[in-house]
């Protein structure tokens, strides 16, 4: 655009006239760029040239609007005068990641042109896949302007990799030859997946008359196309384009970039119109730093800086209109705002994949590199039933499970077993998993527990055996003593039980004494009756009947408590007289942790970390052991002789250990739940396929048959109920005792409320029955209530039979009525 200010018209924006705005094609020759004074630039048509021109326009303060530079690395932070009027590749790479995630593929191969456009797009693809827990397993870079031989070599190497999901992000010059070469390499057959970015849709839309031969190369591809919503403006533009193309014999069609280019022109036209409307002048100035060197043909001294470049950029960023592509607005990063950034792939329809297959491809195969799978196997000093051998002569339970699962895979997987460990000391299992994560190994096979820190490094298969931590401790046979019958309860339990027997006897006596003849008599007889009744309930042989409601209520609750106590006593005494006793008194993980005794664990396994992190067991208490011989020796020596009180290890190891040593037992419950699995590199498809194979082994029963072959039956009894009979303490019964005591107190409270009420009624009736002279004698009237209200009178009242009290009160009530009648008769005679 020249520096001459043009006259503006008062017509609508779609008829604004402005001087010609050059495109990037005008500046492919340096002289053209230097000869013209430019206020805005539209283009270029590639990201690579966009990087170069962006440096120039930054210095000249000329806004650059690109409708085709989709490289996400072209940003306003580096190029402040760059404005993207199309959609960044960031969004279509997220769309591809959603497609990959929808079909549950985890690894892809990226085929891209090795320039700014290709590298920027692949970098965005890698970030998008990482969010879906997938990744680019191989990058196949094609140099720009490569011939067919170079493309053939690149695709051949990509075909040697395991991934069969090909993401193609190239330019049109190279793209169509890729599919021709891929077909010759049999890479368009069944089992492959080809996902192509929008460059191919642009080529197909622009080339309406492409030959059938080229179309046969791209059957089964998933191609992305930028969505331009239908609108009246779009239809009018297409109609005008078709008329012009017909009149001028133009054979190329419109693609999405053509629509964005059209809107870019109108965006600049509107910005220039507003720039001039605000009274801005179009002026240019020279930069004295730009000088031509001797013999230079660049003519740097002729370059002019647009003085109003910042104001023009501001007007462009304020653009807000509806074009043929939809709303045209720019965000703070100078990018066109997408209309819909949703990447949901939930509405995908059925796909006809390469090879005319409608079955979803698995997306990977075992890599055809000629190299076997590197399988790390731990070799330990003991537990040879699990893993043993060297080189190709590996055997054991874990190895047989792995080989059986490998045979079920629908493809051959050659394996090379790599033993880790010298057979005298156990290797670190987490270090082996780290070797898998670091690509030093492809897999780890053996007795690998599936634990949290391992899953953060590698991918595990379905567990092939359940496992969990248990405690094993030494036991001894105890000879019963003459006082063995006292051992079921602790001293505290005995004392509380006896006290409760006496308490219940007293309560029942109080409740029954006033109404039941069997609970009356001389003091000596009543004490004997109370104690006999109380302790005879232990055997449910009490002779005395309870007649009061409260007494029966207390007795029912007490008989239930007695039932629980006697049942528990019988069970505990039976255990004490018949079973073995733990030498150390350890009964479970809680008692083991709370003690200060040393604990043994298998060296190299996760047990040490688990005990220190979850139970805060000091390292000084933990003793590493490597073999079952060391297990037995440490347990036999015990804590006092440099051994251990108990060993914490996984259940399968302890089963093997107890099959050889009968003087030890598992105590307590299994306090963790995990399993053993095979470890592979993260997102390895082999992990999923091996998991399916393990499930097939389980369903067919082969998994159990292999287990029975390698895990021999122990000749020792392993019944946990035979180990460690313990004395019953108050802690097991305090709730029951508390309920019983509260019920007794409640019954006593109700009883005394009734007694006090009867006592008040009895006192009132006694006062009313005194001779009439007492009413006339003030001294006697004041003294008698004090005597009747004494505590001694209350105790005497309680000791009386309730039936006698009721008869006395009834007699006094009759005497009161007779005295009242006599007094009335005397008054009537006197008045007469």
């Amino acid at each position: 655009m020249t520096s001459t200010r043009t006259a503006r018209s008062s017509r609508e924006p779609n008829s604004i006239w402005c001087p010609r705005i050059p495109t990037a094609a005008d500046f492919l020759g340096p002289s053209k760029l230097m000869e013209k004074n430019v206020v805005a630039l539209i283009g270029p048509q590639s990201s690579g040239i966009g990087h170069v021109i962006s440096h120039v326009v930054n210095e000249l303060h000329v806004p650059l609007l690109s409708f085709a530079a989709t490289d996400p690395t072209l940003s306003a932070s580096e190029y402040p005068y760059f404005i993207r009027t199309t959609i960044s590749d960031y969004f279509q790479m997220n769309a591809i990641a959603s497609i990959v995630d929808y079909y549950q593929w985890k690894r892809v191969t990226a085929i891209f042109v090795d320039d700014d456009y290709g590298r920027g797009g692949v970098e965005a693809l890698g970030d998008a896949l990482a969010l879906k827990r997938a990744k680019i397993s191989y990058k196949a870079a094609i140099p720009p302007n490569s011939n067919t031989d170079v493309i053939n070599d690149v695709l051949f190497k990509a075909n040697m990799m395991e991934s069969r999901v090909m993401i193609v992000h190239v330019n049109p010059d190279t793209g169509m030859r890729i599919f021709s070469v891929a077909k010759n390499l049999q890479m368009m057959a069944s089992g492959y997946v080809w996902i192509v970015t929008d460059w191919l849709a642009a080529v197909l839309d622009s080339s309406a008359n492409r030959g059938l031969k080229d179309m046969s190369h791209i059957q089964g591809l998933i191609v992305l196309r930028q969505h331009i919503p239908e609108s009246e403006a779009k239809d009018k533009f297409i109609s005008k384009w078709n008329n012009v193309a017909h009149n001028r014999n133009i054979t190329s069609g419109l693609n999405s970039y053509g629509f964005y280019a059209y809107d870019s022109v109108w965006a600049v036209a509107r910005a220039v119109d507003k720039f001039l409307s605000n009274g801005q002048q179009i002026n240019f100035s020279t930069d004295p730093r730009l000088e031509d060197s001797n013999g230079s043909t660049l003519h740097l001294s002729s370059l002019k800086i647009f003085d109003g470049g910042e104001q023009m950029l501001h007007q462009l960023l304020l653009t807000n209109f509806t074009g043929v592509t939809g709303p045209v607005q720019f965000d703070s990063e100078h990018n066109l705002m997408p209309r819909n950034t949703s990447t949901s792939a939930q509405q995908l329809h059925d796909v006809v994949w390469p090879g005319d297959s409608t079955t979803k491809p698995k997306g990977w195969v075992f890599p055809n590199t000629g190299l076997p799978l590197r399988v790390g196997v731990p070799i330990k000093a003991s537990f040879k039933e699990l893993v043993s051998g060297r080189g190709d002569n590996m055997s054991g339970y874990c190895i047989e499970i792995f080989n059986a699962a490998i045979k079920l895979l629908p493809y051959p997987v050659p394996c090379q077993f790599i033993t880790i460990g010298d057979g005298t000391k156990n290797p670190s299992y987490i270090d082996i998993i780290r070797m898998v994560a670091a690509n030093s190994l492809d897999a780890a096979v053996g007795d690998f527990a599936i634990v949290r820190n391992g899953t953060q490094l590698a991918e595990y298969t379905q567990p092939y055996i359940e496992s969990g931590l248990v405690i094993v401790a030494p036991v001894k046979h105890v000879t019963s003593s003459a006082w063995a019958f006292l051992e079921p309860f602790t001293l505290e339990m005995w004392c509380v039980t006896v006290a409760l027997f006496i308490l219940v006897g007293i309560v029942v006596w109080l409740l029954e004494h006033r109404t039941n003849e069997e609970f009356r008599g001389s003091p000596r007889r009543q004490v004997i009756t109370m104690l006999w009744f109380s302790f005879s309930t232990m055997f449910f042989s009490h002779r005395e009947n309870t007649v009061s409601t409260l007494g029966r209520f207390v007795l029912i609750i007490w008989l239930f408590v007695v039932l629980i106590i006697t049942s528990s006593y019988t069970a505990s005494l039976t255990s004490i007289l018949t079973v073995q006793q733990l030498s150390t008194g350890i009964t479970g993980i809680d008692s083991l942790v709370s003690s200060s005794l040393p604990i043994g664990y298998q060296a190299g396994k996760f047990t040490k970390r688990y005990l220190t992190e979850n139970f805060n067991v000091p390292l000084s208490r933990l003793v590493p052991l490597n073999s079952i011989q060391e297990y037995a020796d440490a347990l036999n020596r015990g804590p006092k002789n440099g051994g251990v009180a108990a060993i914490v290890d996984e259940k399968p190891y302890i089963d093997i250990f107890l099959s050889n040593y009968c003087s030890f037992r598992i105590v307590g419950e299994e306090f963790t739940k995990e399993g053993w699995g095979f470890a592979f590199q993260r997102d390895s498809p082999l992990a999923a396929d091996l998991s399916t194979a393990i499930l097939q082994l389980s369903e067919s029963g082969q998994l159990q048959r292999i287990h029975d072959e390698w895990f021999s039956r122990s000749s020792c009894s392993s019944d946990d109920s035979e180990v460690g009979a313990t004395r019953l303490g108050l802690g097991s019964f305090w709730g029951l005792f508390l309920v019983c005591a509260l019920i007794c107190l409640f019954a006593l409270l109700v009883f005394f409320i009734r007694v006090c009420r009867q006592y008040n009624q009895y006192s009132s009736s006694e006062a009313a029955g005194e001779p009439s002279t007492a009413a006339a004698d003030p001294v006697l009237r004041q003294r008698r209530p004090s005597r009747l209200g004494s505590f001694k009178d209350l105790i005497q009242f309680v000791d009386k039979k309730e039936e006698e009290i009721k008869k006395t009160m009834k007699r006094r009530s009759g005497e009161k009525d007779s005295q009242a009648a006599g007094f009335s008769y005397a008054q009537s005679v006197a008045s007469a």
Side-chain angles (χ1 to χ4, degrees), residues 608 612 617-623:
K608 174 183 176 181
T612 55
V617 177
L619 292 175
S620 59
R621 290 181 57 191
L622 300 178
V623 180

Side-chain angles (χ1 to χ4, degrees), residues 4 27 73 118 203 298 310 312 317 321 335 360 383 396 418 420 445 477 588 682 696 736 755 772:
T4 305
F27 302 109
T73 62
V203 171
L298 295 177
E310 186 173 350
M312 180 65 72
L317 295 177
F321 71 96
N335 291 315
K360 186 200 80 170
F383 302 109
I418 302 173
I420 300 171
V445 171
H477 292 277
R682 293 295 299 270
Q696 292 177 357
L736 187 64
V755 168
S772 57

Side-chain angles (χ1 to χ4, degrees), residues 583-786:
S583 301
T584 57
I586 300 299
T587 59
I589 185 62
D590 293 331
S591 60
L592 178 61
V593 171
S594 61
S595 70
S596 58
L597 300 174
I599 304 171
Y601 70 94
Q602 185 181 163
K605 296 289 288 185
F606 73 98
T607 312
K608 174 183 176 181
R609 179 189 57 81
Y610 183 84
L611 291 176
T612 55
E613 292 183 1
N614 293 274
F615 294 101
N616 298 318
V617 177
L619 292 175
S620 59
R621 290 181 57 191
L622 300 178
V623 180
L625 304 170
N626 289 282
S627 65
I628 59 175
Q629 292 78 17
E630 292 185 12
Y631 279 28
D633 180 64
L635 289 172
N636 285 327
R637 284 188 285 120
K640 296 181 179 179
N641 299 314
V644 298
I647 292 175
V648 178
D649 206 348
E650 295 173 81
K651 184 70 162 50
Y653 299 121
I654 299 303
D655 289 340
I656 295 174
F657 172 65
L658 294 180
S659 67
N660 296 277
Y661 295 91
C662 297
S663 58
F664 311 102
R665 290 290 182 272
I666 294 175
V667 297
E669 300 292 333
E670 189 174 345
F671 57 91
T672 65
K673 291 292 184 182
E674 61 263 344
W676 290 355
F678 306 128
F680 293 86
Q681 296 179 11
R682 293 295 299 270
D683 302 322
S684 171
L686 266 175
D689 288 355
L690 258 294
S691 295
T692 303
I694 291 172
L695 289 176
Q696 292 177 357
L697 291 175
S698 178
E699 292 171 356
S700 65
Q702 188 176 355
L703 197 65
Q704 185 62 43
R705 288 194 295 270
I706 296 174
H707 178 275
D708 295 340
E709 290 175 3
W710 287 97
F711 286 82
S712 60
R713 298 287 182 179
S714 173
S715 59
C716 310
S717 175
S718 60
D719 187 359
D720 291 347
S721 64
E722 297 183 3
V723 180
T726 58
R727 305 179 71 186
L728 298 176
L730 186 60
S732 303
F733 298 94
W734 72 268
L736 187 64
F737 288 169
L738 179 62
V739 171
C740 182
L742 291 176
I743 289 175
C744 290
L745 293 176
F746 172 75
L748 288 177
L749 178 63
V750 174
F751 171 75
F752 282 117
I753 291 175
R754 289 180 56 191
V755 168
C756 291
R757 182 180 177 186
Q758 285 183 353
Y759 179 68
N760 289 333
Q761 293 176 351
Y762 181 81
S763 300
S764 299
S765 66
E766 184 179 11
E770 292 295 330
S772 57
T773 55
D777 187 351
V779 177
L780 182 61
R781 185 174 58 196
Q782 293 177 1
R783 185 183 65 218
R784 196 169 301 275
S786 175

Side-chain angles (χ1 to χ4, degrees), residues 236-293:
K236 290 181 178 180
F237 177 67
I238 293 176
S239 177
K240 291 180 180 179
W241 170 264
N242 291 335
N243 292 333
V244 172
H246 177 74
N247 294 334
R248 299 184 181 182
N249 294 323
I250 299 175
T251 57
S252 60
L254 275 175
N255 58 43
S256 59
Y257 294 101
F259 293 113
Y260 287 117
Y262 182 77
D263 283 345
S264 300
V265 173
W266 278 110
V268 173
R270 290 169 179 269
V272 170
D273 183 65
K274 291 184 178 180
F275 179 87
L276 299 175
S277 298
N278 294 336
Q280 300 288 335
Q281 298 291 327
I282 298 179
N283 296 318
F284 295 86
S285 59
T286 59
D287 189 343
R289 295 175 299 174
L290 298 175
E291 296 181 357
D292 295 323
S293 58

Side-chain angles (χ1 to χ4, degrees), residues 1-3 18-29 31-45 53 57 60 62-67 261 264-265 268-269 272 284:
M1 197 173 198
T2 61
S3 60
C18 65
R20 175 179 178 271
I21 301 170
T23 66
D26 294 321
F27 302 109
L28 295 180
S31 60
K32 290 184 177 289
L33 177 60
M34 298 171 185
E35 292 173 359
K36 296 179 181 289
N37 294 328
V38 180
V39 298
L41 185 64
I42 298 177
Q45 297 187 39
I53 296 182
V57 297
L60 301 181
V62 176
L64 169 65
L65 287 80
S66 179
F67 57 87
S264 300
V265 173
V268 173
V272 170
F284 295 86

Side-chain angles (χ1 to χ4, degrees), residues 149-200:
D149 292 337
V150 174
I151 296 175
N152 186 87
D153 293 340
V154 172
L155 293 184
F156 181 81
K157 293 178 181 179
N159 197 36
M160 300 292 287
M161 301 297 111
E162 65 180 14
S163 175
R164 286 296 178 262
V165 181
M166 308 294 175
I167 311 298
V168 184
H169 185 59
V170 296
N171 52 44
D173 297 335
T174 306
M176 297 309 296
R177 284 183 292 161
I178 288 178
F179 303 120
S180 175
V181 173
K183 188 170 185 178
N184 293 333
L185 293 175
Q186 304 298 317
M187 295 176 68
M188 288 293 179
S190 178
Y192 286 84
V193 177
W194 292 83
I195 302 177
V196 188
T197 55
D198 64 341
W199 66 266
L200 180 56

Side-chain angles (χ1 to χ4, degrees), residues 74-364:
L74 277 168
S75 63
S77 59
E78 184 177 2
Y79 306 112
Y81 282 86
F82 174 81
I83 301 176
R84 195 192 316 272
T85 57
T86 186
I87 304 301
S88 168
D89 280 338
Y90 166 85
F91 296 99
Q92 75 166 330
M93 295 307 172
N94 275 271
I96 291 175
S98 294
I99 295 174
V100 171
D101 181 63
Y102 177 80
Y103 289 109
Q104 299 180 350
W105 298 314
K106 294 300 181 182
R107 298 188 178 189
V108 304
T109 294
I111 303 173
F112 62 99
V113 61
D114 195 9
D115 60 6
D116 292 330
Y117 162 73
R119 290 189 296 269
V122 169
E123 181 181 354
L125 175 62
D127 294 339
L129 289 172
L131 297 176
K132 304 293 185 179
R133 293 182 59 84
K135 67 177 182 179
I136 300 174
S137 60
Y138 182 72
K139 295 181 179 179
I142 300 177
N145 303 318
S146 296
N147 57 33
T148 303
D149 292 337
V150 174
I151 296 175
N152 186 87
D153 293 340
V154 172
L155 293 184
F156 181 81
K157 293 178 181 179
N159 197 36
M160 300 292 287
M161 301 297 111
E162 65 180 14
S163 175
R164 286 296 178 262
V165 181
M166 308 294 175
I167 311 298
V168 184
H169 185 59
V170 296
N171 52 44
D173 297 335
T174 306
M176 297 309 296
R177 284 183 292 161
I178 288 178
F179 303 120
S180 175
V181 173
K183 188 170 185 178
N184 293 333
L185 293 175
Q186 304 298 317
M187 295 176 68
M188 288 293 179
S190 178
Y192 286 84
V193 177
W194 292 83
I195 302 177
V196 188
T197 55
D198 64 341
W199 66 266
L200 180 56
V203 171
L204 296 177
D205 291 341
S206 301
S207 306
N209 297 323
R210 182 164 294 276
L212 295 178
K213 181 179 179 181
D214 290 341
M215 296 299 295
S216 65
H217 295 163
I218 60 175
Q219 296 300 313
L221 276 60
I222 295 179
V223 183
L224 274 70
R225 173 188 276 116
Q226 295 197 34
H227 175 64
I228 308 296
E230 298 298 327
S231 65
E232 183 179 355
K234 176 184 175 182
D235 294 339
K236 290 181 178 180
F237 177 67
I238 293 176
S239 177
K240 291 180 180 179
W241 170 264
N242 291 335
N243 292 333
V244 172
H246 177 74
N247 294 334
R248 299 184 181 182
N249 294 323
I250 299 175
T251 57
S252 60
L254 275 175
N255 58 43
S256 59
Y257 294 101
F259 293 113
Y260 287 117
Y262 182 77
D263 283 345
S264 300
V265 173
W266 278 110
V268 173
R270 290 169 179 269
V272 170
D273 183 65
K274 291 184 178 180
F275 179 87
L276 299 175
S277 298
N278 294 336
Q280 300 288 335
Q281 298 291 327
I282 298 179
N283 296 318
F284 295 86
S285 59
T286 59
D287 189 343
R289 295 175 299 174
L290 298 175
E291 296 181 357
D292 295 323
S293 58
N294 294 332
S296 174
T297 59
L298 295 177
H299 304 290
L300 296 179
S301 59
S302 63
L303 291 177
K304 299 293 191 299
I305 298 175
F306 179 32
D307 296 337
E310 186 173 350
Q311 290 77 16
M312 180 65 72
L313 176 65
H314 178 70
Q315 291 297 335
L316 285 167
L317 295 177
L318 293 177
T319 298
N320 186 2
F321 71 96
T322 300
V324 295
T325 60
V328 180
Q329 289 178 275
F330 302 105
D331 58 20
S332 59
E333 295 297 323
H334 299 188
N335 291 315
L336 183 67
M337 291 184 182
R339 294 170 297 279
N340 181 11
T341 58
S342 173
T343 57
S344 174
Q346 299 302 314
Q347 301 300 320
L348 291 180
H349 298 287
D350 294 336
V351 178
V352 178
W353 304 99
D356 292 332
S357 172
T358 57
T359 303
K360 186 200 80 170
K362 185 166 56 176
W364 80 284

